[in-house]
Coordinates of all heavy atoms in Angstrom, one line a residue:
M1 N 41.3 17.3 -13.5 CA 40.5 16.1 -13.4 C 41.0 15.2 -12.3 O 42.1 15.3 -11.9 CB 40.7 15.3 -14.8 CG 39.9 14.1 -14.7 SD 39.8 13.3 -16.4 CE 41.6 13.2 -16.7
T2 N 40.0 14.7 -11.7 CA 40.3 13.8 -10.5 C 41.1 12.6 -10.8 O 40.9 11.9 -11.9 CB 39.0 13.2 -10.0 OG1 38.1 14.3 -9.8 CG2 39.2 12.5 -8.6
T3 N 42.2 12.4 -10.2 CA 43.0 11.2 -10.3 C 42.9 10.4 -9.0 O 42.9 11.0 -7.9 CB 44.4 11.4 -10.7 OG1 45.0 12.3 -9.7 CG2 44.5 12.2 -12.0
I4 N 43.0 9.2 -9.2 CA 43.0 8.2 -8.0 C 44.2 7.5 -7.9 O 44.6 6.8 -8.9 CB 41.7 7.3 -8.1 CG1 40.4 8.2 -8.0 CG2 41.7 6.3 -6.9 CD1 39.2 7.5 -8.8
K5 N 44.9 7.6 -6.9 CA 46.2 6.9 -6.7 C 46.0 5.5 -6.0 O 45.3 5.4 -5.1 CB 47.2 7.8 -5.8 CG 47.6 9.1 -6.5 CD 48.7 9.6 -5.6 CE 49.2 11.0 -6.2 NZ 48.2 11.9 -6.4
T6 N 46.5 4.5 -6.6 CA 46.5 3.2 -6.1 C 47.8 2.5 -6.5 O 48.7 3.1 -7.0 CB 45.2 2.5 -6.5 OG1 45.3 1.2 -5.8 CG2 45.2 2.2 -8.1
T7 N 47.8 1.3 -6.1 CA 49.1 0.6 -6.6 C 48.6 -0.6 -7.3 O 47.7 -1.4 -7.1 CB 49.9 0.0 -5.3 OG1 49.0 -0.7 -4.4 CG2 50.5 1.2 -4.5
C8 N 49.6 -1.0 -8.3 CA 49.5 -2.2 -9.1 C 50.5 -3.2 -8.5 O 51.5 -2.8 -8.2 CB 49.9 -1.8 -10.6 SG 50.1 -3.2 -11.8
D9 N 50.0 -4.5 -8.6 CA 51.0 -5.5 -8.2 C 52.2 -5.5 -9.0 O 53.2 -6.0 -8.4 CB 50.2 -6.8 -8.2 CG 49.2 -7.0 -7.2 OD1 49.2 -6.3 -6.2 OD2 48.2 -7.9 -7.5
H10 N 52.2 -5.2 -10.2 CA 53.4 -5.3 -11.0 C 54.1 -4.1 -11.2 O 55.3 -4.0 -11.3 CB 52.9 -5.8 -12.5 CG 52.0 -6.9 -12.4 ND1 52.5 -8.2 -12.1 CD2 50.6 -7.1 -12.5 CE1 51.5 -9.0 -12.1 NE2 50.4 -8.5 -12.4
C11 N 53.5 -2.9 -11.1 CA 54.0 -1.6 -11.5 C 54.1 -0.6 -10.4 O 54.7 0.4 -10.5 CB 53.1 -0.9 -12.6 SG 52.6 -1.9 -13.9
G12 N 53.7 -1.0 -9.3 CA 53.8 -0.1 -8.1 C 52.7 1.0 -8.3 O 51.5 0.8 -8.7
D13 N 53.1 2.2 -7.7 CA 52.1 3.3 -7.8 C 51.6 3.7 -9.1 O 52.5 3.9 -10.2 CB 52.8 4.6 -7.1 CG 53.0 4.4 -5.6 OD1 52.4 3.5 -5.0 OD2 53.7 5.1 -5.1
V14 N 50.3 3.8 -9.3 CA 49.7 4.3 -10.6 C 48.6 5.3 -10.2 O 48.0 5.3 -9.3 CB 49.2 3.0 -11.4 CG1 50.3 2.1 -11.9 CG2 48.1 2.3 -10.5
E15 N 48.3 6.0 -11.3 CA 47.2 7.1 -11.1 C 46.1 6.6 -12.1 O 46.4 6.3 -13.3 CB 47.7 8.4 -11.5 CG 48.5 8.9 -10.3 CD 48.8 10.5 -10.4 OE1 48.2 11.0 -11.4 OE2 49.5 11.0 -9.5
L16 N 44.8 6.6 -11.6 CA 43.7 6.1 -12.4 C 42.7 7.4 -12.5 O 42.8 8.2 -11.7 CB 43.0 5.0 -11.7 CG 43.8 3.8 -11.5 CD1 43.0 2.8 -10.6 CD2 44.2 3.1 -12.7
R17 N 41.9 7.4 -13.5 CA 40.8 8.3 -13.6 C 39.6 7.5 -13.2 O 39.6 6.3 -13.3 CB 40.6 8.7 -15.1 CG 41.8 9.6 -15.6 CD 41.8 9.7 -17.2 NE 41.8 8.3 -17.7 CZ 41.3 7.9 -18.9 NH1 40.6 8.7 -19.6 NH2 41.5 6.6 -19.4
P18 N 38.5 8.2 -12.8 CA 37.3 7.6 -12.3 C 36.8 6.5 -13.3 O 36.3 5.5 -13.0 CB 36.4 8.7 -12.1 CG 37.2 9.8 -11.7 CD 38.5 9.7 -12.6
V19 N 37.0 6.7 -14.6 CA 36.5 5.9 -15.6 C 37.2 4.6 -15.6 O 36.7 3.6 -16.3 CB 36.3 6.5 -17.0 CG1 35.3 7.6 -17.2 CG2 37.7 7.0 -17.5
D20 N 38.4 4.5 -15.1 CA 39.2 3.4 -15.1 C 38.8 2.3 -14.1 O 39.2 1.2 -14.0 CB 40.6 3.7 -14.9 CG 41.3 4.5 -16.0 OD1 40.8 4.3 -17.1 OD2 42.1 5.4 -15.7
L21 N 37.9 2.8 -13.1 CA 37.6 2.0 -11.9 C 36.2 1.6 -12.1 O 35.3 2.2 -12.6 CB 37.8 2.8 -10.7 CG 39.3 3.0 -10.2 CD1 39.5 4.4 -10.6 CD2 39.3 2.8 -8.7
A22 N 35.8 0.4 -11.3 CA 34.5 0.0 -11.1 C 34.4 -0.5 -9.7 O 35.2 -1.2 -9.2 CB 34.1 -1.1 -12.1
L23 N 33.3 -0.1 -9.0 CA 33.1 -0.4 -7.7 C 32.2 -1.7 -7.6 O 31.2 -1.8 -8.4 CB 32.4 0.6 -6.9 CG 33.3 1.6 -6.1 CD1 32.4 2.7 -5.6 CD2 34.0 0.9 -4.9
E24 N 32.5 -2.6 -6.8 CA 31.6 -3.7 -6.6 C 31.1 -3.6 -5.1 O 31.9 -3.7 -4.2 CB 32.3 -5.1 -6.8 CG 32.9 -5.2 -8.1 CD 33.7 -6.6 -8.3 OE1 33.9 -7.2 -7.3 OE2 34.1 -6.8 -9.5
L25 N 29.8 -3.4 -5.0 CA 29.2 -3.1 -3.6 C 28.5 -4.4 -3.2 O 27.7 -4.9 -3.9 CB 28.4 -1.9 -3.7 CG 29.1 -0.6 -4.1 CD1 28.1 0.5 -4.1 CD2 30.2 -0.3 -3.1
D26 N 28.7 -4.7 -2.0 CA 27.8 -5.6 -1.3 C 26.6 -5.0 -0.7 O 26.8 -4.2 0.2 CB 28.8 -6.4 -0.3 CG 28.0 -7.6 0.4 OD1 26.8 -7.5 0.6 OD2 28.7 -8.6 0.7
P27 N 25.4 -5.5 -1.0 CA 24.3 -4.7 -0.4 C 24.2 -4.8 1.1 O 23.5 -4.1 1.7 CB 23.1 -5.5 -1.1 CG 23.6 -6.7 -1.6 CD 25.1 -6.6 -1.9
N28 N 24.9 -5.8 1.7 CA 24.8 -6.2 3.1 C 25.9 -5.3 3.9 O 25.9 -5.5 5.1 CB 24.9 -7.5 3.5 CG 23.7 -8.3 2.7 OD1 22.6 -7.9 2.9 ND2 24.1 -9.4 2.1
R29 N 26.7 -4.6 3.2 CA 27.9 -4.1 3.9 C 28.1 -2.6 3.4 O 27.8 -2.4 2.3 CB 29.2 -4.8 3.7 CG 29.1 -6.2 4.3 CD 30.6 -6.8 4.3 NE 30.5 -8.2 4.6 CZ 30.4 -9.1 3.7 NH1 30.4 -8.8 2.4 NH2 30.4 -10.5 4.0
E30 N 28.7 -1.8 4.1 CA 29.0 -0.4 3.6 C 30.4 -0.5 2.8 O 30.6 0.4 2.0 CB 29.3 0.5 4.8 CG 27.9 0.9 5.5 CD 28.2 1.9 6.5 OE1 29.3 2.0 6.9 OE2 27.2 2.5 7.0
S31 N 31.1 -1.4 3.1 CA 32.4 -1.6 2.4 C 32.2 -2.4 1.0 O 31.1 -3.0 0.9 CB 33.5 -2.3 3.2 OG 33.1 -3.5 3.6
G32 N 33.2 -2.4 0.2 CA 33.0 -3.2 -1.0 C 34.5 -3.4 -1.6 O 35.4 -3.5 -0.9
T33 N 34.5 -3.5 -3.0 CA 35.7 -3.8 -3.6 C 35.7 -2.8 -4.8 O 34.7 -2.6 -5.5 CB 35.6 -5.3 -4.1 OG1 35.5 -6.2 -3.0 CG2 37.0 -5.8 -4.7
Y34 N 36.9 -2.5 -5.2 CA 37.1 -1.8 -6.4 C 38.0 -2.5 -7.3 O 38.9 -3.1 -6.9 CB 37.4 -0.3 -6.3 CG 38.8 -0.1 -5.8 CD1 39.9 0.1 -6.6 CD2 39.0 0.2 -4.4 CE1 41.2 0.4 -6.3 CE2 40.3 0.5 -4.0 CZ 41.4 0.5 -4.8 OH 42.6 0.8 -4.4
R35 N 37.7 -2.5 -8.6 CA 38.6 -3.2 -9.5 C 39.1 -2.1 -10.6 O 38.3 -1.1 -10.9 CB 38.0 -4.5 -10.2 CG 36.8 -4.1 -11.1 CD 36.4 -5.3 -11.8 NE 35.5 -5.0 -12.8 CZ 34.2 -5.0 -12.7 NH1 33.7 -5.6 -11.6 NH2 33.3 -4.7 -13.5
F36 N 40.1 -2.3 -11.1 CA 40.7 -1.4 -12.1 C 41.6 -2.2 -13.0 O 42.1 -3.2 -12.6 CB 41.4 -0.3 -11.3 CG 42.6 -0.6 -10.6 CD1 43.9 -0.7 -11.2 CD2 42.6 -1.1 -9.3 CE1 45.1 -1.0 -10.5 CE2 43.7 -1.5 -8.6 CZ 44.9 -1.4 -9.2
A37 N 41.7 -1.7 -14.2 CA 42.7 -2.1 -15.2 C 43.9 -1.1 -15.0 O 43.8 0.1 -15.2 CB 42.1 -2.0 -16.6
C38 N 45.1 -1.7 -14.8 CA 46.3 -0.9 -14.5 C 46.5 -0.2 -15.9 O 46.6 -0.8 -17.0 CB 47.5 -1.8 -14.1 SG 49.0 -0.8 -14.2
P39 N 46.8 1.1 -15.8 CA 47.1 1.9 -17.0 C 48.4 1.5 -17.7 O 48.7 1.7 -18.8 CB 47.1 3.3 -16.6 CG 47.4 3.3 -15.1 CD 46.7 2.0 -14.7
E40 N 49.2 1.0 -16.8 CA 50.6 0.5 -17.4 C 50.6 -0.8 -18.1 O 51.0 -1.0 -19.2 CB 51.7 0.5 -16.4 CG 51.8 1.8 -15.5 CD 52.4 3.0 -16.2 OE1 53.2 2.7 -17.2 OE2 52.0 4.2 -16.0
C41 N 50.2 -1.9 -17.3 CA 50.3 -3.2 -17.7 C 48.9 -3.8 -18.2 O 48.8 -4.9 -18.6 CB 51.0 -4.1 -16.8 SG 50.0 -4.4 -15.3
R42 N 47.9 -3.1 -18.0 CA 46.5 -3.4 -18.3 C 46.0 -4.7 -17.6 O 44.9 -5.2 -17.9 CB 46.3 -3.8 -19.8 CG 46.9 -2.7 -20.7 CD 46.3 -1.3 -20.5 NE 44.9 -1.2 -20.4 CZ 44.3 0.0 -20.0 NH1 45.0 1.0 -19.8 NH2 42.9 0.1 -20.0
S43 N 46.7 -5.1 -16.4 CA 46.1 -6.2 -15.8 C 44.9 -5.7 -14.9 O 44.9 -4.6 -14.4 CB 47.1 -6.9 -14.9 OG 47.6 -6.1 -14.0
I44 N 43.9 -6.6 -14.8 CA 42.6 -6.3 -14.0 C 43.1 -6.7 -12.5 O 43.5 -7.8 -12.2 CB 41.5 -7.1 -14.4 CG1 41.2 -6.7 -15.8 CG2 40.4 -6.8 -13.6 CD1 40.7 -5.4 -16.2
Q45 N 42.8 -5.8 -11.6 CA 43.1 -6.0 -10.2 C 42.0 -5.6 -9.4 O 41.2 -4.8 -9.7 CB 44.4 -5.2 -9.8 CG 45.5 -5.6 -10.8 CD 46.8 -5.2 -10.2 OE1 47.2 -5.4 -9.0 NE2 47.6 -4.7 -11.0
R46 N 41.9 -6.2 -8.1 CA 40.9 -5.9 -7.2 C 41.4 -5.4 -5.9 O 42.4 -6.0 -5.5 CB 40.0 -7.0 -7.0 CG 39.0 -7.4 -8.0 CD 38.0 -8.5 -7.5 NE 36.8 -8.5 -8.4 CZ 36.8 -9.0 -9.5 NH1 37.9 -9.6 -10.0 NH2 35.6 -9.0 -10.2
R47 N 40.8 -4.4 -5.2 CA 41.3 -4.1 -4.0 C 40.1 -3.9 -3.0 O 38.9 -3.5 -3.5 CB 42.0 -2.6 -4.0 CG 43.2 -2.6 -4.8 CD 44.4 -3.2 -4.0 NE 45.7 -3.1 -4.7 CZ 46.1 -3.9 -5.7 NH1 45.3 -5.0 -6.1 NH2 47.2 -3.7 -6.3
P48 N 40.2 -4.2 -1.8 CA 39.1 -4.0 -0.9 C 38.9 -2.5 -0.7 O 39.8 -1.6 -0.7 CB 39.6 -4.5 0.5 CG 41.0 -4.7 0.4 CD 41.3 -4.8 -1.1
A49 N 37.6 -2.0 -0.6 CA 37.3 -0.7 -0.4 C 36.6 -0.5 0.9 O 35.5 -1.1 1.1 CB 36.5 0.0 -1.5
T50 N 37.1 0.3 1.8 CA 36.4 0.6 3.0 C 35.2 1.5 2.7 O 35.1 2.1 1.6 CB 37.2 1.4 4.1 OG1 37.7 2.6 3.5 CG2 38.6 0.5 4.4
A51 N 34.3 1.7 3.7 CA 33.2 2.6 3.6 C 33.6 3.9 3.0 O 33.0 4.5 2.3 CB 32.3 2.6 4.8
R52 N 34.7 4.4 3.6 CA 35.2 5.7 3.2 C 35.7 5.7 1.8 O 35.4 6.7 1.1 CB 36.4 6.1 4.2 CG 36.9 7.4 3.8 CD 37.7 8.1 4.9 NE 38.5 9.3 4.3 CZ 38.0 10.3 3.8 NH1 36.7 10.5 3.8 NH2 38.7 11.2 3.2
V53 N 36.4 4.7 1.5 CA 36.9 4.7 0.1 C 35.7 4.6 -0.8 O 35.7 5.2 -2.0 CB 37.8 3.5 -0.1 CG1 38.2 3.2 -1.6 CG2 39.2 3.7 0.6
V54 N 34.8 3.8 -0.4 CA 33.5 3.7 -1.3 C 32.8 5.1 -1.6 O 32.6 5.4 -2.7 CB 32.6 2.7 -0.8 CG1 31.1 2.8 -1.4 CG2 32.9 1.3 -0.8
S55 N 32.7 5.8 -0.5 CA 32.0 7.1 -0.6 C 32.8 8.1 -1.5 O 32.4 8.9 -2.2 CB 31.6 7.6 0.7 OG 32.7 7.9 1.5
V56 N 34.2 8.0 -1.2 CA 35.0 8.9 -2.0 C 34.9 8.6 -3.6 O 34.9 9.4 -4.5 CB 36.6 8.9 -1.5 CG1 37.5 9.5 -2.6 CG2 36.7 9.4 -0.2
L57 N 35.0 7.3 -3.8 CA 35.1 6.8 -5.2 C 33.7 7.2 -5.9 O 33.6 7.6 -7.1 CB 35.3 5.3 -5.4 CG 36.7 4.9 -5.0 CD1 36.8 3.3 -5.1 CD2 37.7 5.6 -5.9
L58 N 32.6 6.9 -5.1 CA 31.2 7.3 -5.7 C 31.2 8.9 -5.9 O 30.6 9.2 -7.0 CB 30.2 6.9 -4.6 CG 29.9 5.4 -4.6 CD1 28.9 5.1 -3.5 CD2 29.5 4.8 -6.0
A59 N 31.7 9.6 -5.0 CA 31.7 11.0 -5.2 C 32.5 11.6 -6.4 O 32.2 12.6 -7.0 CB 32.2 11.8 -4.0
T60 N 33.5 10.7 -6.9 CA 34.3 11.1 -8.0 C 33.7 10.5 -9.3 O 34.2 10.7 -10.4 CB 35.7 10.7 -7.9 OG1 35.7 9.1 -7.9 CG2 36.4 11.1 -6.7
G61 N 32.5 9.9 -9.2 CA 31.8 9.4 -10.4 C 32.2 8.0 -10.9 O 31.9 7.7 -12.1
V62 N 32.9 7.2 -10.0 CA 33.1 5.9 -10.3 C 31.8 5.0 -10.5 O 30.9 5.1 -9.7 CB 34.1 5.3 -9.4 CG1 34.3 3.8 -9.6 CG2 35.4 6.0 -9.3
A63 N 31.8 4.3 -11.5 CA 30.7 3.4 -11.7 C 30.6 2.3 -10.8 O 31.6 1.9 -10.2 CB 30.7 2.8 -13.2
Y64 N 29.4 1.8 -10.4 CA 29.4 0.8 -9.4 C 28.4 -0.3 -9.9 O 27.5 -0.1 -10.6 CB 29.1 1.4 -8.1 CG 27.7 1.8 -7.9 CD1 26.6 1.0 -7.4 CD2 27.4 3.1 -8.3 CE1 25.3 1.5 -7.4 CE2 26.0 3.7 -8.3 CZ 25.0 2.7 -7.7 OH 23.8 3.3 -7.7
E65 N 28.5 -1.5 -9.2 CA 27.5 -2.4 -9.5 C 27.3 -3.2 -8.1 O 28.3 -3.2 -7.3 CB 28.0 -3.5 -10.6 CG 29.3 -4.1 -10.3 CD 29.8 -4.8 -11.5 OE1 29.4 -5.9 -11.9 OE2 30.8 -4.2 -12.2
V66 N 26.1 -3.5 -7.9 CA 25.8 -4.3 -6.7 C 26.0 -5.7 -6.8 O 25.4 -6.2 -7.8 CB 24.3 -3.9 -6.2 CG1 24.1 -4.8 -5.0 CG2 24.3 -2.4 -5.9
I67 N 26.8 -6.3 -6.1 CA 27.1 -7.8 -6.1 C 26.5 -8.4 -5.0 O 26.7 -8.0 -3.9 CB 28.6 -8.0 -6.1 CG1 29.3 -7.2 -7.2 CG2 28.9 -9.5 -6.3 CD1 29.2 -7.6 -8.5
N68 N 25.8 -9.5 -5.2 CA 25.2 -10.3 -4.1 C 25.8 -11.7 -4.2 O 25.1 -12.6 -4.8 CB 23.8 -10.2 -4.1 CG 23.2 -10.7 -2.7 OD1 23.9 -11.2 -2.0 ND2 21.9 -10.5 -2.4
D69 N 26.9 -12.0 -3.7 CA 27.5 -13.3 -3.8 C 26.9 -14.4 -3.1 O 27.0 -15.5 -3.3 CB 29.0 -13.2 -3.2 CG 29.9 -12.5 -4.3 OD1 29.7 -12.5 -5.4 OD2 31.0 -12.0 -3.8
D70 N 26.0 -14.0 -2.0 CA 25.6 -14.9 -1.1 C 24.1 -14.6 -0.9 O 23.7 -14.3 0.2 CB 26.4 -14.8 0.2 CG 26.1 -15.8 1.1 OD1 25.6 -16.9 0.7 OD2 26.3 -15.5 2.3
P71 N 23.3 -14.9 -1.8 CA 21.9 -14.6 -1.6 C 21.4 -15.8 -0.6 O 21.9 -16.9 -0.6 CB 21.3 -14.8 -2.9 CG 22.2 -15.7 -3.7 CD 23.5 -15.3 -3.2
I72 N 20.4 -15.5 0.2 CA 19.8 -16.5 1.1 C 19.0 -17.4 0.2 O 18.1 -17.1 -0.6 CB 18.9 -15.8 2.1 CG1 19.8 -14.9 3.0 CG2 18.1 -16.9 3.0 CD1 19.0 -14.1 4.0
T73 N 19.3 -18.8 0.4 CA 18.5 -19.8 -0.3 C 17.4 -20.3 0.3 O 17.4 -20.2 1.7 CB 19.5 -20.9 -0.7 OG1 19.9 -21.4 0.5 CG2 20.8 -20.4 -1.5
E74 N 16.4 -21.0 -0.3 CA 15.3 -21.6 0.4 C 15.8 -22.6 1.4 O 15.3 -22.6 2.6 CB 14.5 -22.3 -0.7 CG 13.7 -21.4 -1.6 CD 12.5 -20.7 -1.0 OE1 11.9 -21.3 0.1 OE2 12.3 -19.6 -1.4
S75 N 16.9 -23.3 1.2 CA 17.3 -24.3 2.0 C 17.8 -23.7 3.4 O 17.7 -24.3 4.4 CB 18.3 -25.4 1.4 OG 19.5 -24.6 1.3
E76 N 18.4 -22.6 3.2 CA 19.0 -21.9 4.4 C 17.9 -21.4 5.2 O 17.8 -21.4 6.5 CB 19.8 -20.8 4.0 CG 21.3 -21.2 3.5 CD 22.1 -19.9 3.0 OE1 21.5 -19.0 2.3 OE2 23.2 -19.9 3.2
I77 N 16.8 -20.9 4.6 CA 15.6 -20.5 5.3 C 14.9 -21.6 6.0 O 14.5 -21.5 7.2 CB 14.6 -19.8 4.4 CG1 15.2 -18.5 3.8 CG2 13.3 -19.5 5.1 CD1 14.4 -17.9 2.7
D78 N 14.8 -22.8 5.4 CA 14.2 -24.0 5.9 C 15.1 -24.4 7.2 O 14.5 -24.7 8.3 CB 14.3 -25.1 5.0 CG 13.2 -24.9 3.9 OD1 12.3 -24.1 4.0 OD2 13.2 -25.5 2.8
R79 N 16.4 -24.3 7.1 CA 17.3 -24.7 8.2 C 17.2 -23.7 9.3 O 17.1 -24.2 10.5 CB 18.7 -24.8 7.8 CG 19.1 -26.1 7.0 CD 20.5 -26.5 7.0 NE 21.5 -25.2 6.7 CZ 21.8 -25.0 5.4 NH1 21.4 -25.8 4.5 NH2 22.6 -24.0 5.0
F80 N 17.0 -22.5 9.0 CA 16.8 -21.5 10.0 C 15.5 -21.7 10.8 O 15.4 -21.5 12.0 CB 16.9 -20.2 9.3 CG 16.6 -19.0 10.4 CD1 17.5 -18.6 11.3 CD2 15.3 -18.2 10.3 CE1 17.2 -17.6 12.2 CE2 15.1 -17.2 11.2 CZ 16.1 -16.9 12.2
V81 N 14.5 -22.0 10.0 CA 13.2 -22.3 10.6 C 13.1 -23.5 11.6 O 12.7 -23.5 12.6 CB 12.0 -22.3 9.6 CG1 10.7 -22.9 10.1 CG2 11.8 -21.0 8.9
A82 N 13.8 -24.6 11.0 CA 13.9 -25.8 11.8 C 14.7 -25.5 13.1 O 14.3 -26.0 14.1 CB 14.5 -26.8 11.0
A83 N 15.7 -24.7 13.0 CA 16.6 -24.4 14.2 C 15.8 -23.6 15.2 O 15.8 -23.8 16.3 CB 17.8 -23.6 13.7
L84 N 14.9 -22.7 14.6 CA 14.0 -22.0 15.5 C 13.1 -22.9 16.2 O 12.8 -22.6 17.4 CB 13.2 -20.9 14.8 CG 13.8 -19.6 14.4 CD1 12.8 -18.7 13.7 CD2 14.4 -18.9 15.8
H85 N 12.5 -23.9 15.5 CA 11.6 -24.8 16.2 C 12.2 -25.6 17.2 O 11.6 -26.0 18.3 CB 10.9 -25.7 15.1 CG 9.9 -25.0 14.3 ND1 8.8 -24.4 14.9 CD2 9.7 -24.7 13.1 CE1 8.0 -23.8 14.0 NE2 8.6 -24.1 12.8
R86 N 13.6 -25.9 17.0 CA 14.3 -26.7 18.0 C 14.7 -25.8 19.3 O 14.8 -26.4 20.3 CB 15.5 -27.3 17.5 CG 15.2 -28.5 16.6 CD 16.5 -29.3 16.4 NE 17.5 -28.5 15.8 CZ 17.7 -28.4 14.4 NH1 16.8 -28.9 13.6 NH2 18.6 -27.6 13.9
E87 N 14.6 -24.6 19.1 CA 15.1 -23.7 20.1 C 14.0 -23.5 21.1 O 13.0 -22.9 20.8 CB 15.6 -22.3 19.5 CG 16.0 -21.3 20.5 CD 17.1 -21.7 21.4 OE1 18.1 -22.2 20.9 OE2 17.0 -21.4 22.6
P88 N 14.1 -23.7 22.4 CA 13.1 -23.6 23.3 C 12.8 -22.1 23.6 O 11.6 -21.8 24.0 CB 13.6 -24.3 24.7 CG 15.1 -24.3 24.5 CD 15.3 -24.4 22.9
D89 N 13.7 -21.2 23.4 CA 13.4 -19.9 23.8 C 14.0 -18.9 22.6 O 15.0 -18.3 22.7 CB 14.1 -19.5 25.1 CG 13.9 -18.0 25.5 OD1 12.9 -17.4 25.0 OD2 14.6 -17.5 26.3
P90 N 13.4 -18.9 21.5 CA 14.0 -18.2 20.3 C 14.1 -16.7 20.5 O 15.1 -16.1 20.1 CB 13.0 -18.5 19.1 CG 11.8 -19.1 19.7 CD 12.1 -19.7 21.1
I91 N 13.3 -16.2 21.4 CA 13.3 -14.6 21.6 C 14.6 -14.5 22.3 O 15.2 -13.4 22.3 CB 12.0 -14.3 22.3 CG1 10.8 -14.5 21.4 CG2 12.1 -12.7 22.5 CD1 10.8 -13.9 20.1
G92 N 14.9 -15.4 23.2 CA 16.0 -15.2 24.1 C 17.3 -15.1 23.3 O 18.3 -14.4 23.7
L93 N 17.4 -15.7 22.2 CA 18.5 -15.6 21.2 C 18.7 -14.2 20.8 O 19.9 -13.7 20.5 CB 18.4 -16.5 20.0 CG 18.3 -18.1 20.1 CD1 18.0 -18.6 18.8 CD2 19.6 -18.4 20.7
L94 N 17.8 -13.4 20.7 CA 17.8 -12.1 20.2 C 18.3 -11.1 21.3 O 18.8 -10.0 20.9 CB 16.5 -11.6 19.7 CG 15.8 -12.4 18.6 CD1 14.4 -11.9 18.2 CD2 16.7 -12.5 17.3
T95 N 18.1 -11.5 22.5 CA 18.4 -10.6 23.6 C 19.8 -10.9 24.3 O 20.2 -10.1 25.1 CB 17.1 -10.6 24.6 OG1 17.2 -11.9 25.1 CG2 15.9 -10.1 24.1
T96 N 20.4 -12.0 23.9 CA 21.7 -12.3 24.6 C 22.8 -11.8 23.8 O 22.7 -11.5 22.6 CB 21.9 -13.8 24.7 OG1 21.6 -14.5 23.4 CG2 20.9 -14.4 25.8
Ligands
LIG1 ZN1 50.4 -2.6 -13.8

């Protein structure tokens, strides 16, 4: 069975099974975060996951959820549009 080695803040090196982990993926990035319950002390911990770690974890069958902490709000769109109207050369912003 696949085991995933990581470290617990309290216990040091620990080995997890895929079912012990959950991936939190940001739809805007390739990287994400994984969280796990330490098999020794049961504390819940989070670690950053690079794109490579994400793909490895997904390949081993780790469950994932898509987290969108920062959805674009209406007011942000309004500010963006207002900023575009103030900008004399908006296309120029895209090419610099
Ligand atoms: Zn622990």
